[in-house]
Amino acid sequence: MNNKPSIHSLEVSTSLHEKLLKSPVYAQKMKNRSLTISIITTLLILFNLFYFMSNQKTLAEDQILESQYANFGSDLSI
């Protein structure tokens, strides 16, 4: 028995040949694009978290000023 693989020529159209040659380049471009989008998304989330945390004190003060205690004593007469 002969177990050697037989070699056959395969005819491929020109457009398919070009697409096959470009596929690694396209895959690398998509990988780079995905990485860029991931980095930008992560940076935006971190920026929003930092901004939210830095404004917590101001938000708490504003809530107190807007609460029922903000006008405490304003209706007292002398």
Side-chain angles (χ1 to χ4, degrees), residues 18-19 23 28-29 31 39 44 52 63 69-70 75:
E18 289 176 10
K19 287 179 183 178
S23 65
Q28 185 63 38
K29 281 183 183 179
K31 183 178 177 183
I39 289 172
L44 286 173
F52 177 75
Q63 286 177 346
Y69 301 108
D75 57 349

Side-chain angles (χ1 to χ4, degrees), residues 1 3 7 10 19-20 25-26 31-32 37 39 42 49 62-63 65-67 74:
M1 222 181 214
N3 289 334
I7 298 174
L10 180 65
K19 287 179 183 178
L20 289 171
V25 174
Y26 180 75
K31 183 178 177 183
N32 289 343
I37 290 171
I39 289 172
T42 304
L49 284 174
D62 289 345
Q63 286 177 346
L65 291 175
E66 292 174 0
S67 70
S74 63

Side-chain angles (χ1 to χ4, degrees), residues 29-43:
K29 281 183 183 179
M30 293 309 294
K31 183 178 177 183
N32 289 343
R33 184 175 295 164
S34 297
L35 180 64
T36 303
I37 290 171
S38 298
I39 289 172
I40 290 171
T41 303
T42 304
L43 289 175

